[in-house]
Amino acid sequence: MTRPTGDLFADGGETGRLMARLDWADTPLGPVDGWPQSLRAAVRMVLSSRYPMLLLWGERFTQLYNDAYSALIGDKHPDALGGDVRVTLAEGWDVLGPLIDEAMATGVASWVPALQLLLDRAGYREEAYFSVSHAPARDDEGRTVGVLTVCSEVTEQVVGERRLRLLRDLSVGGDGRTVDVESTCVRLAEAIGGHPLDVPFAAIYLRDGALLRRAACVGGEAVAAALPVTLSTGPEHGWGLAAAAGTTTEVAGVERWLTLPAGPWGDPVGTALALPLPSAEAGQPLGVLLVGVSPSRRLDEAYRSFHALLAQQVAVAVRNAQAYEEERRRAETLAELDRVKTGFFTNVSHEFRTPLTLMLGPLADALNDNEHPLPAAQRERVDTAWRNATRLLTLVNSLLTFSSLEAGQAHSQAREVDLAGLTAELSSVFRAAVERAGLRLEVDCPPLPRPICVDPVNWERIVTNLLSNALKYTFVGWIRVALAADDEEIRLTVADTGIGIAEEDLPRLFERFHRVQGARSRSHEGTGIGLALVRELARLEGGDVRVESRIGTGTTFTVALPWSATGRTAGPVAEVDGVGGAARAAAQEAIGWLADPAWAGASAPAGPPVSAYGGEDASRHARILVADDNADMRAYLARLLGEQGWRVQTVGDGRQALEAIRRERPDLVLTDVMMPEVDGFELVRRLRRQADTRTLPVVVLSARAGGDASVEGLGLGADDYVVKPFAAAELIARIRATLHGARSRGDRRDDSTPDARGGAMDARGGAPGRQDVPAGPPTGDAVATAVPVPAPDGGNVGYAHDEARRQAPGRPAAVDEGWTYPSQPTSAAAMRRDVRASLEGLDVDPDTVADLLLAASEAVNNAVEHAQRPTRPEVRVRLRVADGTVRITVRDFGTWRDRRPAMDRGRGATLMNAYGDVRLMSTAEGTTVTIERRLPPPPCCGRSCSRGAG
């Protein structure tokens, strides 16, 4: 019994319903009732499948398919039902036809993955990819009368993988192997050019001021001719370069400027995209990426996302290239600066040698002159000058050698030497210094089995630096120098039982200027290039240096020279006596680190004052403690200060200074900054933290010049800061002024109670009506002059300038004083002493006092430095404390000059504003700076305090 026709298509979904309504009698298949059973079975199988299936039946290849297949042919459905497939897929029949014919002819099924087909299913000639299987379809008698096609579209997978390959190729093209931007852009364009199916043409435009400059393009000569080399970023340009402002622009009608066949079917490009190349700054793209859109692919969201990724990849590569290029320019600039610096050091070092020669020669002649011998005192001075001039020559030679090594200009003048004898001789130069330090020097340098060719001067510097370093950081035990050889190399070993080096510091030990922070040493002196010089000289000789160390155990340096490096063609045999000068100078310097502890703690006898440095005053019997790690400097200061009648004690570092102060408090401490163990700044910090030494006068003496160093020292509470080299008269004047200020503060504390006559003492601790006159004549330091201002009751409330000054009504001022200083740099130190002395009589927090002194110092320094053509060459300072507020005014009498930013770092204004409320008023007569600071209220007594009661 035959089933109704509708039952055949009942399970076919929407396509089945369309097939049921179709008049099959008008098709080559004829009425459905006449279809053979094999056809009916095939149709049921196709319609019941959810996989795209197409049944071609008969000589006319009549099409029957399911819902899944209808989605693949797009607009061709439903007209394709019952039609000839050669008409429906005419544009792709040249590919499909042979496959179908083969299945019909052979009766063998085929499978083709990712078959590229041209489809016109969406209004344009589309590039599509299908995985297709063709199997023969047989009638009831077993004859092949058709083809069953099973297919799936893989267009998205094929195109997606292809685009990923392009992005990968871009990352390889911009991997930094080319560090200039132009080459990177060319490589990026070449990578894009390898994928014309997705990007028919491309051009990279980079921002160049107000223009966009083409850095690279790809797509052929027609593209290069059509695209301009430079583009304006205005919106009126036809290529849509508004992308330069950060917006992606679609450019239509590309065929107006460029005829370029593209895609797999050679259709002309009609659309392009202009995409901004993002930079680190929002709204400021690096440039624009102009890309053509394939005419065979719809510009959908996936295609746009691909282009966005493409632009990002290009932008990253360009940014990296720009960074590399900038870094290269910076490196070239630094290299040039390094060459200039090296040349400068070389020239300066050479220039130093001439005056040093003229210094060392006469000094040596004077010391060796037996016909006219120097008196003992003069011989000591000349000997100090000769030793330090020799040390300076050693430093100059080290700098010259190091600069030559850095510039690649150093050479090894190899000679055949008795390396064992030379090493033993150089080591023996240090024996006196090592034994004086209480250490044992062991030298083991047996003769070597073969002749050795090295530069004896370079070898001397290697041995000298290693021995000097060992002595500097070894306090107990021994130092061992050994020379050994095997079949491969010669090894110089310098070992010690010193403090050792932490493991994390070992990798940087041979870097120039590197120092291990906080390491205990005999001296803080040195350039920081000694070990770096050892490594460079060892490498210059064909070897290298290595180090092994453990904290608390010791350090071993090993210089290894391969035999191959010591077999060079040599000059004549070098005598050991021809070298040794550098070793003797280094050993002499090391002896200076080893001050006798008995001498270090002893006081130098006070001598008669020397009139050349100031007259006698009441401070001539003061006791001064000198802390400096340089033995010659200690001896010089002891002699210089002792000649003023002061009793001088010297110590080698801050720790010894603290111990000496605990034993006996001096009247003043004169300290260097750069010292081992406890440096000068830490010494000041510790003294100011202790109540019994908080007011101890401290003068800092240092080779560290510059405002930052002085601000740091004064900020810690130092009374003055003197920079080396200094004039003896200036140092003595500053010490005398500091002692006088300290004595004045002590007098005020002693006389702060009413006198026996019942009269009130004035604000400076003097009797009513008495002027405060410094003891002794001026010493070259700034001198303040003040006159008393009568109070309404006939007493003195303080000192003021000679112009009239009114007292504020109401609560009387706690302090109201004024001083006049000469317009010179030393006035700031004198002002600090006077203001500190006035504030110490009040209960003002020491930190507040330090803040105010820093701010006032900057104001005085500005007045001295900036005031031009003053009508009065002076600076006036007034201090007023009233109603819980401190007000300091600084006035000059000149016109301030402007300074270029390169000359003025602006630190003064920053410091003043950080420590107080600052106001500045400039007039034609001068400038007045006012610094105010509100004092915190004193703590309440807690019992009968009536503060705030009315």
Side-chain angles (χ1 to χ4, degrees):
M1 174 176 164
T2 304
R3 297 179 58 189
T5 302
D7 293 345
L8 178 62
F9 308 110
D11 298 328
E14 179 62 28
T15 303
R17 288 190 289 273
L18 291 175
M19 292 171 70
R21 293 196 296 267
L22 184 65
D23 186 4
W24 290 98
D26 293 337
T27 69
L29 298 181
V32 176
D33 295 342
W35 289 4
Q37 188 61 35
S38 56
L39 175 58
R40 287 175 175 271
V43 170
R44 288 193 183 94
M45 181 182 64
V46 169
L47 292 177
S48 63
S49 175
R50 296 294 178 262
Y51 207 76
M53 298 181 72
L54 168 67
L55 178 62
L56 305 179
W57 195 269
E59 296 179 353
R60 305 279 295 272
F61 296 124
T62 304
Q63 302 170 88
L64 300 100
Y65 52 84
N66 56 13
D67 282 343
Y69 182 83
S70 67
L72 300 184
I73 60 175
D75 296 344
K76 297 178 180 293
H77 173 72
D79 294 341
L81 281 173
D84 192 334
V85 71
R86 292 171 293 186
V87 176
T88 303
L89 300 179
E91 64 274 13
W93 190 250
D94 58 335
V95 175
L96 291 173
L99 297 174
I100 293 173
D101 291 343
E102 182 180 0
M104 292 281 291
T106 63
V108 178
S110 64
W111 165 255
V112 181
L115 179 66
Q116 184 185 63
L117 287 178
L118 169 61
L119 290 182
D120 190 357
R121 57 182 176 178
Y124 66 95
R125 289 156 55 86
E126 181 181 355
E127 172 193 7
Y129 294 87
F130 294 87
S131 292
V132 183
S133 171
H134 295 93
R138 294 179 173 85
D139 60 10
D140 295 345
E141 297 177 357
R143 295 174 300 175
T144 301
V145 295
V147 174
L148 179 62
T149 301
V150 181
C151 61
S152 63
E153 184 170 7
V154 292
T155 304
E156 294 301 326
Q157 293 92 315
V158 172
V159 173
E161 291 174 1
R162 190 173 66 201
R163 292 171 179 174
L164 285 176
R165 285 196 299 272
L166 171 54
L167 295 176
R168 184 201 61 194
D169 292 346
L170 280 179
S171 65
V172 173
D175 62 354
R177 287 179 291 174
T178 55
V179 296
D180 61 286
V181 176
E182 296 295 332
S183 298
T184 298
C185 289
V186 170
R187 292 182 62 181
L188 291 172
E190 291 174 351
I192 295 173
H195 299 264
L197 293 180
D198 292 301
V199 187
F201 72 88
I204 301 174
Y205 285 87
L206 298 181
R207 185 182 293 274
D208 188 3
L211 298 176
L212 290 172
R213 178 180 50 82
R214 193 179 75 193
C217 71
V218 66
E221 296 181 359
V223 174
L227 295 180
V229 177
T230 58
L231 290 171
S232 64
T233 57
E236 70 281 356
H237 200 283
W239 283 102
L241 271 300
T247 304
T248 299
T249 304
E250 183 175 337
V251 183
V254 171
E255 61 273 6
R256 291 175 293 172
W257 308 293
L258 173 65
T259 302
L260 180 68
W265 326 125
D267 298 323
V269 177
T271 305
L273 284 180
L275 302 107
L277 297 177
S279 69
E281 299 180 11
Q284 287 292 328
L286 297 173
V288 174
L289 175 64
L290 185 65
V291 294
V293 176
S294 171
S296 303
R297 295 297 303 160
R298 184 166 59 92
L299 188 57
D300 54 10
E301 187 62 32
Y303 205 0
R304 291 181 181 273
S305 297
F306 161 72
H307 286 124
L309 291 174
L310 191 68
Q312 290 180 4
Q313 196 80 9
V314 171
V316 168
V318 172
R319 286 203 304 269
N320 289 341
Q322 288 178 338
Y324 278 121
E325 199 170 57
E326 183 178 350
E327 186 65 27
R328 186 187 63 190
R329 287 195 297 266
R330 186 183 299 110
E332 290 173 351
T333 302
L334 291 176
E336 179 61 26
L337 288 175
D338 200 51
R339 286 191 292 270
V340 172
K341 178 201 67 178
T342 301
F344 170 76
F345 274 127
T346 303
N347 293 335
V348 167
S349 299
H350 280 296
E351 291 300 321
F352 276 161
R353 286 182 169 184
T354 298
L356 279 172
T357 301
L358 296 176
M359 291 167 58
L360 286 168
L363 289 173
D365 292 342
L367 291 171
N368 297 323
D369 191 348
N370 295 325
E371 294 183 6
H372 306 285
L374 294 171
Q378 297 300 328
R379 170 172 286 277
E380 182 180 354
R381 292 174 177 171
V382 173
D383 188 56
T384 299
W386 179 82
R387 285 197 309 272
N388 284 275
T390 302
R391 179 174 176 241
L392 181 58
L393 179 60
T394 302
L395 293 174
V396 167
N397 288 336
S398 296
L399 285 174
L400 184 59
T401 301
F402 195 79
S403 62
S404 298
L405 288 167
E406 282 199 319
Q409 299 173 354
H411 303 284
S412 173
Q413 298 180 355
R415 282 170 170 45
E416 185 177 328
V417 297
D418 178 7
L419 196 63
L422 176 59
T423 305
E425 185 70 22
L426 293 173
S427 302
S428 66
V429 174
F430 283 83
R431 185 172 297 279
V434 171
E435 293 177 350
R436 183 171 178 178
L439 305 174
R440 186 173 73 256
L441 178 63
E442 301 177 1
V443 180
D444 181 19
C445 299
L448 296 175
R450 306 183 205 171
I452 301 296
C453 293
V454 297
D455 188 328
V457 176
N458 290 344
W459 189 255
E460 177 187 6
R461 288 172 178 156
I462 292 172
V463 175
T464 298
N465 277 294
L466 291 178
L467 275 171
S468 179
N469 188 76
L471 180 57
K472 190 173 187 178
Y473 294 101
T474 303
F475 295 88
V476 293
W478 46 261
I479 297 174
R480 178 180 296 121
V481 180
L483 192 67
D486 56 22
D487 293 338
E488 296 181 358
E489 62 185 13
I490 308 157
R491 291 183 301 278
L492 167 69
T493 303
V494 178
D496 61 61
T497 56
I499 62 173
I501 305 165
E503 185 176 355
E504 58 269 19
D505 288 313
L506 292 178
R508 300 191 59 196
L509 198 61
F510 295 103
E511 294 181 8
R512 57 178 180 171
F513 311 126
H514 174 71
R515 287 189 168 195
V516 178
Q517 297 298 319
R520 182 189 176 197
S521 64
R522 297 185 183 275
S523 174
H524 200 80
E525 295 176 342
T527 58
I529 64 173
L531 292 178
L533 196 60
V534 168
R535 181 176 66 176
E536 295 300 325
L537 290 174
R539 291 177 175 177
L540 186 64
E541 294 299 323
D544 208 341
V545 62
R546 57 182 181 269
V547 60
E548 298 174 0
S549 185
R550 290 180 60 187
I551 291 291
T553 301
T555 304
T556 300
F557 288 93
T558 302
V559 178
L561 295 178
W563 283 108
S564 59
T566 62
R568 295 168 287 177
T569 303
V573 177
E575 297 293 336
V576 174
D577 293 341
V579 294
R584 286 188 289 273
Q588 186 66 38
E589 180 184 354
I591 290 176
W593 305 336
L594 310 170
D596 186 0
W599 162 248
S603 296
V610 179
S611 59
Y613 297 142
E616 181 179 354
D617 60 21
S619 67
R620 63 163 297 196
H621 298 296
R623 182 171 172 275
I624 298 177
L625 177 65
V626 175
D628 198 302
D629 62 337
N630 185 283
D632 282 337
M633 182 59 71
R634 291 196 301 270
Y636 172 69
L637 290 174
R639 183 175 66 249
L640 177 66
L641 303 182
E643 291 172 349
Q644 308 309 307
W646 294 322
R647 292 179 296 120
V648 183
Q649 181 184 8
T650 61
V651 293
D653 56 51
R655 181 183 57 78
Q656 297 177 16
L658 290 171
E659 294 174 354
I661 293 169
R662 279 194 290 270
R663 289 193 299 268
E664 182 181 2
R665 176 186 167 112
D667 296 300
L668 181 140
V669 175
L670 178 63
T671 178
D672 189 23
V673 172
M674 308 293 285
M675 296 186 296
E677 300 207 37
V678 177
D679 64 21
F681 287 159
E682 179 61 23
L683 173 61
V684 175
R685 190 179 291 109
R686 295 188 186 184
L687 291 176
R688 293 300 178 246
R689 283 202 300 257
Q690 300 175 9
D692 56 338
T693 58
R694 186 170 296 155
T695 60
L696 178 62
V698 179
V699 175
V700 175
L701 185 65
S702 176
R704 289 176 58 184
D708 292 339
S710 61
V711 166
E712 182 179 0
L714 297 173
L716 292 173
D719 293 82
D720 209 343
Y721 190 96
V722 181
V723 177
K724 301 175 186 176
F726 53 82
E730 178 191 8
L731 177 63
I732 291 172
R734 287 174 180 257
I735 292 176
R736 182 176 288 120
T738 303
L739 288 169
H740 169 69
R743 190 178 67 254
S744 297
R745 295 193 296 270
D747 292 343
R748 183 172 63 255
R749 285 191 293 270
D750 295 340
D751 300 335
S752 59
T753 57
D755 64 4
R757 296 171 296 175
M761 304 301 292
D762 67 16
R764 290 182 64 87
R770 180 180 68 84
Q771 291 191 16
D772 189 346
V773 180
T779 62
D781 204 350
V783 179
T785 60
V787 296
V789 177
D793 59 359
N796 282 356
V797 298
Y799 283 75
H801 301 292
D802 51 3
E803 67 258 21
R805 181 174 293 151
R806 297 181 180 180
Q807 175 67 29
R811 179 179 176 183
V815 173
D816 192 356
E817 299 188 67
W819 303 272
T820 300
Y821 304 96
S823 183
Q824 60 187 38
T826 55
S827 293
M831 179 277 302
R832 286 194 299 274
R833 291 192 296 270
D834 293 332
V835 173
R836 188 194 299 273
S838 297
L839 290 176
E840 282 188 351
L842 307 175
D843 188 16
V844 181
D845 179 67
D847 291 339
T848 302
V849 174
D851 293 347
L852 289 168
L853 289 177
L854 272 178
S857 296
E858 291 297 333
V860 171
N861 288 334
N862 284 340
V864 171
E865 182 178 356
H866 291 287
Q868 300 295 295
R869 298 183 296 277
T871 56
R872 300 181 186 178
E874 62 189 32
V875 178
R876 293 185 177 180
V877 179
R878 181 187 180 190
L879 169 68
R880 190 171 188 275
V881 183
D883 300 326
T885 301
V886 179
R887 179 184 296 112
I888 300 176
T889 57
V890 178
R891 181 184 179 189
D892 61 65
F893 297 90
T895 302
W896 279 31
R897 66 182 175 91
D898 294 329
R899 295 199 302 177
R900 297 191 303 272
M903 299 171 57
D904 191 353
R905 290 172 289 179
R907 185 179 60 251
T910 302
L911 281 174
M912 286 190 287
N913 283 283
Y915 297 132
D917 182 16
V918 180
R919 299 189 302 275
L920 185 145
M921 182 177 69
S922 295
T923 65
E925 289 77 21
T927 300
T928 300
V929 176
T930 303
I931 304 167
E932 284 191 0
R933 175 97 172 237
R934 186 72 180 174
L935 298 177
C940 183
C941 62
R943 291 177 295 179
S944 58
C945 181
S946 59
R947 192 180 336 122

